[in-house]
């Protein structure tokens, strides 16, 4: 994938060649406008001389004669006013053009990917040059799914991306802390989906972008009374609409401390890009785990593959068909298997292959860097004890492994933001029960 990724997109998904050309054109247009605005008479008089050499003497006099009759001056003044107006219009067009160019650039990138997915058959290239596809095309967005939400998202999203958190009024203190950190980092594109009216009031009085989902019996009863896990199940239903509207969502629990803008650290090459529950490279990224059965003698070792689960409380999901299929499959199973846990179901659907009687999901997935998108086990068991790792600044830290969440979140801010070197020291690795 590296080859194609570098060719088409930079890490943040914008074509390199395209953007330079766009910038060059944009600068050209803007310089022209600025020049014509600053020196309107020179600009237009001289251009008149060049393009209309034989027009009346009047037009040559614009730039040559210092003495003019009052009527002439008035006429010139009104001509000048007209030109200035035209200039303003031109500048407006230039601005529109550069915006359109930017959009087109992103479109080209997307179109190329779609073509690669749906396009014609290929011959395999030479050894080492062949890459399968990971980046599925985005769906065509459909505003009619939820015009109200669509309007909100248009205002908030950046590059059609935003952070989304589902919140009820049981956790408002933590929500405040979550928001404070997001604001400090300077991330404007986030939205709280409020599951009750108290949360709406809280958000409005704290200047937090909020969306109240229209009342829905099932959703509301879970939303009001539900513990963490019940609320987690809801999100797969709710997220679907966001994707249908064409947005990529960074779904976020609120026991997460933001230390950098996460959108600067995404790859955007997969349907799902997720934080891991793993605590080192092996467990997070996958490894060969050997199962030993001595009674089998010569064949006592059976190789298995293991990977610690993706954390369903922090993942980036793009508006693609496999991503929406994932949400549907998880939502269906959660509503039909009452005892299931959403994170387990989420992982099973992502990872189990097709087999007799079962058709697996074909979604592209990426495990986020465990040092950038860090869980609290990584931090408290390993990172804080290692002189080198202590110096790394994560993008986010998720207090998912510890019940004393808010205390640890506050300590994480003291350590990384206030540079208080001993802020993490008093906490045990795990909880004391
Ligand atoms: C402009 O005027 C000159 C001299 O009167 C003449 O030779 C020339 O052909 C004219 N050009 C045009 C484009 O009319
Ligand atoms: C884990 O993987 C990263 C990236 O591949 C590497 O830089 C790092 O050295 C690895 N850490 C360990 C402990 O192997």
């Amino acid at each position: 994938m590296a080859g194609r990724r570098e060719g088409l997109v930079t890490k943040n998904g914008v074509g390199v060649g395209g953007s330079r050309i766009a910038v060059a054109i944009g600068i050209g247009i803007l310089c022209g406008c600025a020049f014509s605005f600053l020196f309107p008479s020179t600009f237009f008089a001289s251009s008149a001389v060049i393009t209309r050499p034989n027009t009346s003497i009047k037009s040559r006099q614009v730039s040559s004669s210092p003495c003019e009759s009052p009527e002439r001056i008035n006429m010139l003044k009104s001509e000048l006013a007209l030109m200035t107006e035209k200039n303003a219009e031109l500048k407006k067009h230039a601005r529109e053009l550069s915006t359109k160019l930017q959009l087109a650039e992103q479109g080209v990138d997307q179109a190329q990917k779609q073509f690669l997915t749906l396009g014609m058959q290929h011959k395999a290239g030479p050894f080492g040059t062949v890459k399968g596809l990971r980046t599925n095309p985005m769906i065509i967005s459909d505003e009619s799914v939820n015009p109200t939400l669509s309007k909100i998202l248009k205002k908030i999203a950046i590059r059609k991306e935003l952070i989304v958190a589902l919140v009820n009024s049981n956790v408002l203190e933590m929500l405040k802390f979550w928001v404070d950190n997001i604001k400090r980092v300077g991330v404007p594109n986030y939205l709280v989906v409020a599951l009750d009216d108290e949360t709406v009031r809280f958000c409005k009085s704290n200047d937090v972008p909020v969306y109240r989902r229209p009342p829905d019996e099932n959703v509301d009863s879970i939303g009001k009374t539900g513990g963490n896990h019940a609320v987690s199940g809801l999100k797969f239903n709710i997220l679907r609409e966001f994707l249908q509207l064409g947005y990529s969502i960074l779904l976020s629990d609120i026991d997460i401390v933001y230390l950098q803008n996460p959108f600067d650290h995404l790859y955007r090459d997969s349907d799902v890009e997720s934080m891991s529950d793993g605590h080192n490279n092996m467990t997070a990224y996958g490894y060969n785990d050997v199962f030993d059965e001595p009674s089998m003698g010569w064949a006592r070792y059976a190789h298995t593959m293991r990977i610690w689960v993706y954390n369903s409380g922090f993942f980036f999901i793009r508006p693609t068909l496999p991503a929406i299929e994932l949400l549907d499959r998880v939502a269906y199973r959660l509503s039909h298997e009452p005892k299931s846990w959403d994170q387990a179901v989420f992982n099973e659907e992502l990872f189990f292959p097709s087999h007799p009687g079962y058709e697996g999901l074909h979604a592209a997935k990426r495990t986020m860097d465990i040092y950038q998108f860090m869980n609290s086990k990584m931090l408290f068991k390993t990172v804080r004890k290692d002189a080198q790792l202590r110096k790394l600044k994560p993008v986010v830290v998720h207090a998912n492994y510890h019940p004393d969440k808010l205390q640890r979140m506050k300590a994480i801010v003291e350590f990384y933001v206030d540079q208080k070197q001993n802020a993490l020291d008093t906490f045990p690795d795990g909880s004391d029960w």
Side-chain angles (χ1 to χ4, degrees):
M1 191 63 194
R4 205 180 68 235
R5 253 177 59 79
E6 279 159 19
L8 290 180
V9 286
T10 62
K11 197 175 173 190
N12 54 16
V14 177
V16 182
S19 79
R20 282 196 194 133
I21 293 167
V23 167
I25 294 174
I27 288 172
I29 291 170
L30 290 174
C31 284
C33 289
F35 184 79
S36 66
F37 183 71
L38 291 173
F39 310 102
S41 60
T42 328
F43 188 79
F44 284 96
S46 60
S47 78
V49 169
I50 292 162
T51 56
R52 293 181 284 128
N54 285 354
T55 35
S56 62
I57 298 158
K58 168 177 89 185
S59 133
R60 287 170 182 254
Q61 280 175 339
V62 169
S63 53
S64 55
S65 168
C67 303
E68 301 284 354
S69 69
E71 307 98 79
R72 178 110 313 150
I73 288 175
N74 280 343
M75 214 178 68
L76 289 175
K77 269 186 186 161
S78 70
E79 254 181 50
L80 193 66
L82 205 74
M83 296 302 185
T84 314
E85 215 173 90
K86 277 192 180 155
N87 267 353
E89 224 171 277
L90 252 169
K91 274 195 288 188
K92 197 174 133 229
H93 281 146
R95 271 198 301 273
E96 282 170 5
L97 203 68
S98 81
T99 317
K100 275 185 187 158
L101 267 168
Q102 274 172 13
L103 289 174
E105 233 174 79
Q106 290 169 12
V108 166
D109 171 44
Q110 201 48 46
Q112 274 167 324
K113 282 181 194 152
Q114 297 203 6
F115 175 74
L116 287 170
T117 315
L118 307 169
M120 50 203 173
Q121 292 178 296
H122 300 275
K123 282 184 184 166
F127 176 83
T129 65
V130 177
K131 302 284 179 191
L133 286 171
R134 297 136 189 74
T135 310
N136 287 306
M138 294 191 187
I139 56 159
I140 295 169
S141 58
D142 179 2
E143 280 187 30
S144 69
V145 170
N146 187 337
T148 315
L149 180 59
S150 173
K151 217 186 266 174
I152 297 175
L153 297 186
K154 269 184 195 150
K155 268 187 250 156
I156 295 176
I158 295 180
R159 288 185 51 190
K160 302 209 91 178
E161 297 176 345
L162 72 156
I163 298 171
V164 171
L166 268 65
V167 181
N168 68 19
S169 52
N170 295 332
V171 288
L172 294 184
E173 191 189 357
M174 196 180 287
L175 175 64
K176 179 78 171 69
F177 196 71
W178 182 81
V179 167
D180 287 347
N181 285 296
I182 287 188
K183 286 183 178 173
R184 185 171 32 71
V185 171
V187 180
N189 47 332
Y190 69 99
L191 179 69
V192 168
V193 176
L195 301 176
D196 52 41
D197 294 332
E198 202 182 330
T199 307
V200 175
R201 280 193 294 277
F202 177 88
C203 288
K204 289 197 167 149
S205 64
N206 283 280
D207 197 21
V208 173
V210 63
Y211 165 66
R212 173 76 161 110
R213 202 170 182 264
D216 170 321
E217 282 170 23
N218 299 327
V219 168
D220 278 8
S221 69
I222 305 172
K224 271 187 198 120
T225 57
N228 259 342
H229 286 183
V231 171
S232 311
L234 270 182
K235 70 187 167 209
F236 297 94
N237 284 313
I238 295 177
L239 274 185
R240 190 187 210 278
E241 280 185 355
F242 286 80
L243 298 201
Q244 273 185 289
L245 293 173
Y247 291 85
S248 297
I249 301 303
L250 185 59
L251 187 282
S252 176
D253 281 354
I254 56 164
D255 54 346
I256 292 179
V257 179
Y258 286 75
L259 300 165
Q260 299 183 54
N261 188 334
F263 294 104
D264 296 338
H265 301 273
L266 298 174
Y267 286 78
R268 302 177 173 83
D269 63 350
S270 303
D271 298 306
V272 178
E273 203 169 327
S274 180
M275 176 181 264
S276 170
D277 269 4
H279 54 266
N280 54 27
N281 283 2
M282 280 171 65
T283 55
Y285 306 147
Y287 68 104
N288 178 1
D289 188 33
V290 180
F291 173 78
D292 184 9
E293 197 173 358
S295 68
M296 285 300 292
W298 178 75
R300 63 183 286 180
Y301 300 117
H303 292 259
T304 72
M305 292 180 296
R306 294 191 72 185
I307 184 167
W308 264 230
V309 290
Y310 280 3
N311 190 288
S312 60
F314 190 87
F315 59 86
F316 180 69
I317 186 162
R318 297 174 62 248
T320 65
L321 289 179
I324 292 173
E325 187 185 353
L326 170 68
L327 297 180
D328 288 355
R329 289 168 76 127
V330 174
Y332 178 87
R333 279 189 55 191
L334 291 177
S335 64
H336 286 77
E337 303 165 21
K339 285 189 179 151
S340 56
W341 178 30
D342 74 292
Q343 179 160 284
V345 172
F346 177 72
N347 277 274
E348 287 170 12
E349 292 298 331
L350 266 178
F351 286 92
F352 287 171
S354 300
H355 55 254
Y358 177 80
E359 194 184 345
L361 177 76
H362 289 244
K365 44 205 171 285
R366 165 180 282 280
T367 310
M368 288 175 166
D369 186 314
I370 48 174
Y371 295 107
Q372 293 188 324
F373 297 90
M374 196 182 286
N375 61 54
S376 55
K377 182 171 172 181
M378 278 287 293
L379 177 63
F380 285 97
K381 209 176 141 238
T382 308
V383 171
R384 67 168 169 168
K385 299 170 186 170
D386 182 302
Q388 289 308 310
L389 296 178
R390 278 170 75 93
K391 291 181 196 157
L392 297 175
K393 188 169 188 177
V395 178
V396 305
V397 180
H398 190 175
N400 59 325
Y401 268 105
H402 298 92
D404 47 347
K405 292 177 186 300
L406 201 52
Q407 291 96 303
R408 292 201 189 229
M409 287 166 76
K410 286 176 177 164
I412 288 165
V413 171
E414 284 173 11
F415 181 75
Y416 284 110
V417 180
D418 308 333
Q419 307 286 323
K420 199 176 144 197
Q421 287 303 313
N422 61 357
L424 302 175
D425 294 354
T426 53
F427 296 93
D429 286 4
S431 73
D432 295 328
W433 288 98

